[in-house]
């Protein structure tokens, strides 16, 4: 059973899972990978000016032989040229007359947010983009935009907070990085998006278990996976969906793509399981201070205490940098 859609306030349907060509796919030929995603059942393809994958997305679309109406294409303005110039170049590269979703990739892409967004509104009016949205916007960015926007963005590609049934119209979509370990830090942003009828779209959701194995999230995710007969990856995506968030994901293997799409057919997580993942995520990823703790216990500490203290300080500094990185919504993805 395919993933469903949500209805935007402009009447357009937004598929709630997308195959992304950012992350490790950036700056390379992704024709075969996009083609494989389409063959596996993905109808929503996410690209961007910055990724330099638009040409390959276009090739994969052409090779698929599918009608334009069966595919949903998102691309993003990443501050090269004016928005009007950029969307024309993107359309030429992809080989389309319009994109379904055109996003501001990050707030810095539009130094003058008011006039820049007016260009986006005009491109929507001119039929170059069916819907317009943003990515990596913080609360302050959204507040500034909404003060003067005539047409609200339909998506913010970011983190999320609650379930919105597919029949409920919404007015905004936002795209950000979202996983259990940064949910707490993004909660205020997510709640603001919900209040403003902003659909949130998440990328990087599997980072909590793929880049931070052994953390507190693992045990509760594995327990839920065992109960519903799923993989840990599928549980993470089920958790994301429980927050009302659309998904952007990627993989080079067909088996993984099929695994992700199969989430639609899984039993839902219980309230207790969702709460347990929230609670585990709030504890943070595996602490790098463990390295310092082990060093303190080692006989080396007796021989070179200053060296070990220096190591501990360095690890703590690394931790601070880590949390600043994951808590930031302005990272290009």
């Amino acid at each position: 059973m395919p993933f469903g859609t949500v209805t935007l306030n402009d009447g357009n349907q937004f598929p709630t899972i997308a195959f992304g060509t950012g992350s490790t796919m950036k700056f390379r030929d992704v024709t075969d990978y996009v083609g494989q995603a389409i063959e596996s059942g993905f109808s929503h393809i996410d690209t961007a000016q910055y990724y330099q994958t638009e040409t390959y997305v276009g090739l994969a679309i052409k090779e698929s032989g599918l009608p334009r109406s069966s595919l949903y294409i998102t691309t993003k303005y990443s501050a090269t040229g004016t928005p009007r110039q950029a969307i024309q170049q993107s359309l030429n590269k992809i080989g389309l007359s319009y994109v379904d979703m055109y996003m501001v990739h990050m707030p810095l892409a539009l130094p003058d947010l008011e006039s820049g967004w007016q260009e986006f509104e005009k491109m929507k009016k001119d039929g170059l983009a069916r819907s317009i949205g943003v990515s990596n916007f913080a609360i302050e960015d959204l507040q500034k935009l909404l003060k003067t926007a005539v047409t609200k963005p339909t998506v913010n590609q970011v983190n999320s907070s609650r379930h919105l049934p597919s029949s409920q119209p919404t007015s905004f979509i936002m795209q950000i990085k979202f996983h259990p370990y940064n949910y707490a830090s993004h909660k205020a942003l997510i709640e603001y998006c919900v209040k403003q009828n902003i659909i949130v779209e998440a990328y990087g959701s599997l980072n909590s278990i793929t880049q931070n194995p052994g953390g507190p999230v693992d045990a509760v995710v594995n327990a839920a996976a065992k109960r519903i007969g799923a993989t840990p990856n599928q549980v993470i995506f089920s958790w994301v969906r429980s927050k009302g968030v659309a998904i952007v994901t990627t993989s080079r293997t067909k088996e993984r793509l099929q695994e992700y799409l199969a989430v639609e057919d899984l039993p839902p997580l219980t309230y207790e399981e969702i709460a347990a993942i929230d609670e585990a995520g709030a504890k943070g990823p595996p602490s790098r201070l463990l390295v310092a703790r082990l060093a303190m216990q080692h006989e080396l500490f007796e021989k070179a205490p200053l060296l070990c203290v220096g190591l501990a300080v360095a690890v703590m500094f690394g931790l601070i940098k880590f949390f600043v990185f994951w808590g930031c919504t302005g990272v290009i993805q």
Side-chain angles (χ1 to χ4, degrees):
M1 180 173 157
F3 268 63
T5 62
V6 291
T7 303
L8 305 178
N9 74 328
D10 57 12
N12 294 321
Q13 297 295 308
F14 184 77
T16 55
I17 190 168
F19 178 82
T21 60
S23 185
T24 60
M25 296 272 181
K26 292 191 292 281
F27 320 133
R28 63 187 67 200
D29 186 342
V30 297
T31 308
D32 291 342
Y33 298 128
V34 174
Q36 180 174 252
I38 293 173
E39 290 177 3
S40 299
F42 281 82
S43 63
H44 184 178
I45 308 299
D46 183 282
T47 182
Q49 181 186 43
Y50 172 70
Y51 301 162
Q52 299 177 30
T53 56
E54 292 172 320
T55 299
Y56 306 116
V57 168
L59 289 173
I61 291 173
K62 186 176 181 180
E63 291 176 2
S64 74
L66 295 175
R68 174 67 181 90
S69 59
S70 67
L71 295 172
Y72 191 101
I73 308 301
T74 292
T75 192
K76 310 177 193 76
Y77 171 62
S78 307
T80 299
T82 67
R84 171 73 62 161
Q85 291 168 340
I87 196 171
Q88 291 287 4
Q89 291 171 358
S90 293
L91 292 173
N92 290 339
K93 289 178 180 178
I94 305 173
L96 301 176
S97 59
Y98 70 90
V99 290
D100 298 280
M101 174 65 63
Y102 197 50
M103 290 182 168
V104 183
H105 205 163
M106 61 283 188
L108 290 177
L110 294 180
D112 185 339
L113 193 56
E114 181 177 353
S115 63
W117 188 250
Q118 287 174 354
E119 289 191 63
F120 270 69
E121 291 173 329
K122 192 170 190 310
M123 290 186 291
K124 173 176 169 57
K125 184 177 180 181
D126 292 344
L128 300 178
R130 293 286 176 87
S131 301
I132 49 179
V134 297
S135 178
N136 299 307
F137 270 47
I139 292 177
E140 295 77 13
D141 304 312
L142 294 173
Q143 290 173 332
K144 184 177 179 181
L145 178 59
L146 292 175
K147 281 181 181 179
T148 59
V150 175
T151 302
K152 281 188 175 183
T154 52
V155 178
N156 192 352
Q157 202 178 74
V158 294
N159 301 0
S160 164
S161 78
R162 73 163 194 191
H163 177 68
L164 289 176
S166 61
S167 59
Q168 179 174 340
T170 185
S171 59
F172 208 54
I173 291 193
M174 176 164 157
Q175 191 180 66
I176 59 172
K177 183 170 289 186
F178 179 53
H179 51 74
Y181 288 130
N182 72 5
Y183 173 58
S185 65
H186 282 318
K187 193 172 182 181
L189 171 63
I190 292 166
E191 290 174 349
Y192 180 80
C193 288
V194 171
K195 185 178 179 181
Q196 295 297 327
N197 258 351
I198 296 172
I199 279 291
V200 176
E201 186 179 25
Y203 63 82
S205 299
L206 297 179
N207 288 355
S208 56
I209 57 176
T210 60
Q211 296 186 14
N212 298 284
V217 164
D218 288 22
V220 291
V221 165
N222 290 338
K226 183 177 181 180
R227 182 188 71 82
I228 64 176
T231 67
N233 289 340
Q234 290 175 322
V235 170
I236 291 293
F237 281 149
S238 293
W239 174 82
V240 171
R241 298 187 73 203
S242 77
K243 303 299 182 181
V245 180
I247 298 166
V248 180
T249 189
T250 194
S251 178
R252 289 176 169 79
T253 68
K254 190 171 186 177
E255 292 73 22
R256 285 289 189 199
L257 296 176
Q258 292 172 337
E259 173 190 346
Y260 300 159
L261 291 174
V263 170
E264 179 72 14
D265 299 320
L266 293 173
L269 298 177
T270 65
Y271 173 83
E272 290 75 18
E273 288 168 335
I274 295 168
I277 294 173
D278 292 351
E279 183 178 348
K283 295 177 181 177
S287 176
R288 297 182 185 182
L289 289 176
L290 179 60
V291 177
R293 191 175 302 147
L294 292 174
M296 294 284 281
Q297 296 174 350
H298 195 274
E299 62 178 0
L300 175 64
F301 182 71
E302 298 179 1
K303 299 178 182 179
L306 290 179
L307 175 63
C308 291
V309 170
L311 173 63
V313 171
V315 171
M316 290 178 67
F317 180 71
L319 251 185
I320 292 172
K321 288 176 65 179
F322 175 85
F323 282 110
V324 168
F325 175 80
W326 287 114
C328 175
T329 58
V331 177
I332 296 178
Q333 168 68 25

